Amino acid sequence: MQRINKLGLALLTAFGTLGTAHAADIKLGVAEALSGGAAQYGVSIRNGFQLAAEEINAAGGVNGNKLALVIEDEQGKKEEAINVFKKLIFQDKVLMVFGPTLSNSAQAADPVAQAAKTVAFGTSNTADGITSIGNYVFRNSVTEADVLPATIETVRRKTGMKNVAVLYGNDDVFTKSGYDNFKKALDDQKVPVTTTETFAKGDVDFKAQLTKIKGTNPDAIVLSALLAEGGPIMVQARQLGLNVPVIGGNGMNSVKIFDLAPGGASNNLWIGSPWSIENQTPENTKFIAAYKAKFGSAPDQFSAQSYDALYIVAQGLKNVKLTGDLAKDRTALRDALPEVKWSGATGPFQFRQAKDRAGKPAGYDAQQAPIVSVTKDGKYVIEK
């Protein structure tokens, strides 16, 4: 029988066991939407975590301890995200929690982690205000406020765009925040808006809004949407003869757009993100090859960000001496993470501290430069 050292016994006491988990496993919670409409993001996110965990553990783990992921489906629903966070934190006694998938859910569930003094680490939440919840809230997903101005500037420079029409989802924290940041960027760059139209989650027919947009003869469409609505919007826009550039936010940055808007319907979609499948750095090339080998499909921004997130946490854990006292270990990880610098699939990364509504230091956002890409014939092409 393998000998269990004192550290292993302490961790066993602190974290319990999980299936075939070893005594020295470090349990990390993963709360993602693995079913429902947001699963098109959540499954990719889970895949990125699993790939990174396998690589880290195969290389000896963290200070000799293996990482054990405790994965739960939060279904892309606020209430379920709260329930899953409570289960992972209080019942499974994980060291920290990754997720949830959507900004709506993060706004609801992250306060649970903050109150429990447990790190909540978002890899796909880009709406304003997430990290203002508190100093245990982290994310490596770059905010829309940081990305959208660069995207708009690039489209103006590359296409000569003079004005835009705006279309956004008005019943979702992410898409509404995207609209707010698009509006600010357009105002700052003095780009006139010909019309502003809205839709709701679950809508499938966007022809009325798109017909109004076409009537204003815009040079481009600014679209703040998730893929479930964004894909059909692009298809219907092209059917109506609206073949102008579409400037999308974080929710549209996925290779799944080529399935949801097949053929030429997905062309001329402009996206800003720290990650691109066409970015041929050694770290990204390695990640893409490993992901394709394991899952038989191409990765997207969301799997890249979760992959990097686990490596970021692993780097933080290297500087944490786990004691077996769960409360102390959770706080020690929180204290270690802000100092982490990492260069992975999404490029060079470090945290910057956010502020709460009163202007006091709060959680931590990503500090990364965006890459602007445009879709052409089923591929993302980087624009300089």
Side-chain angles (χ1 to χ4, degrees):
M1 182 176 179
Q2 185 178 354
R3 184 173 63 87
I4 301 175
N5 59 24
K6 291 182 180 179
L7 176 59
L9 286 171
L11 285 166
L12 180 60
T13 301
F15 303 135
T17 58
L18 174 67
T20 57
H22 298 290
D25 281 352
I26 302 172
K27 289 167 63 176
L28 307 176
V30 176
E32 301 295 346
L34 305 179
S35 61
Q40 56 201 327
Y41 306 109
V43 171
S44 291
I45 293 168
R46 178 199 61 193
N47 290 351
F49 281 129
Q50 289 178 330
L51 177 60
E54 287 185 7
E55 291 180 356
I56 293 167
N57 287 339
V62 178
N63 298 334
N65 303 314
K66 298 296 179 71
L67 303 181
L69 303 180
V70 185
I71 301 173
E72 294 285 348
D73 179 10
E74 43 87 354
Q75 302 173 31
K77 300 176 181 177
K78 291 188 288 186
E79 298 79 7
E80 195 61 27
I82 292 170
N83 291 337
V84 165
F85 263 47
K86 287 179 177 177
K87 177 183 181 296
L88 290 169
I89 293 168
F90 302 114
Q91 181 177 325
D92 296 318
K93 300 188 185 304
V94 297
L95 183 62
M96 59 156 293
V97 181
F98 288 108
T101 299
L102 300 179
S103 293
N104 266 350
S105 301
Q107 288 279 22
D110 283 2
V112 174
Q114 178 66 32
K117 295 186 177 180
T118 302
V119 167
F121 193 133
T123 68
S124 55
N125 314 138
T126 58
D128 292 340
I130 301 293
T131 49
S132 67
I133 289 168
N135 62 350
Y136 281 79
V137 180
F138 292 73
R139 60 179 165 185
N140 72 326
S141 40
V142 179
T143 67
E144 297 285 69
D146 288 334
V147 170
L148 297 183
T151 311
I152 290 170
E153 190 279 328
T154 301
V155 178
R156 289 180 64 201
R157 180 163 43 84
K158 290 288 185 175
T159 70
M161 175 188 78
K162 302 295 185 185
N163 59 35
V164 300
V166 176
L167 181 59
Y168 75 98
N170 63 357
D171 63 344
D172 178 89
V173 167
F174 162 73
T175 53
K176 176 62 169 61
S177 175
Y179 163 72
D180 291 339
N181 285 296
F182 266 130
K183 185 176 185 303
K184 183 179 186 304
L186 292 168
D187 289 345
D188 289 346
Q189 297 182 40
K190 296 180 171 55
V191 178
V193 175
T194 64
T195 186
T196 299
E197 304 294 330
T198 64
F199 61 88
K201 266 186 180 178
D203 286 356
V204 295
D205 187 347
F206 307 93
K207 291 187 177 66
Q209 296 97 316
L210 292 168
T211 298
K212 289 181 182 178
I213 286 171
K214 185 178 181 181
T216 68
N217 196 32
D219 292 335
I221 299 171
V222 164
L223 176 62
S224 184
L226 296 169
L227 282 172
E229 291 77 34
I233 284 170
M234 291 201 67
V235 170
Q236 292 170 35
R238 301 330 188 193
Q239 289 172 344
L240 289 171
L242 269 168
N243 295 312
V244 296
V246 174
I247 306 171
N250 180 65
M252 294 291 289
N253 189 19
S254 173
V255 291
K256 295 181 178 66
I257 191 63
F258 303 123
D259 297 324
L260 295 171
S266 61
N267 282 345
N268 218 3
L269 169 65
W270 295 73
I271 293 294
S273 167
W275 184 82
S276 170
I277 198 166
E278 301 300 327
N279 190 21
Q280 297 179 359
T281 63
E283 296 89 351
N284 195 35
T285 300
K286 172 180 173 289
F287 161 68
I288 293 168
Y291 189 97
K292 287 180 176 178
K294 181 172 176 60
F295 299 107
S297 61
D300 60 15
Q301 169 192 338
F302 302 96
S303 52
Q305 287 174 174
S306 60
Y307 176 86
D308 277 0
L310 193 61
Y311 273 99
I312 290 165
V313 167
Q315 289 299 112
L317 280 169
K318 287 180 180 179
N319 297 317
V320 173
K321 185 177 181 180
L322 296 171
T323 66
D325 183 321
L326 189 55
K328 289 182 179 178
D329 291 342
R330 285 170 169 172
T331 297
L333 175 60
R334 193 226 76 85
D335 292 343
L337 281 177
E339 305 304 317
V340 173
K341 293 182 180 180
W342 179 251
S343 189
T346 63
F349 172 88
Q350 63 184 32
F351 287 109
R352 74 163 186 264
Q353 191 160 31
K355 294 182 179 180
D356 64 16
R357 292 173 184 171
K360 296 179 180 179
Y364 293 84
D365 285 320
Q367 183 69 48
Q368 282 186 301
I371 297 168
V372 178
S373 302
V374 61
T375 53
K376 293 180 181 179
D377 301 324
K379 293 180 68 176
Y380 284 95
V381 179
I382 296 174
E383 292 287 343
K384 303 293 186 184

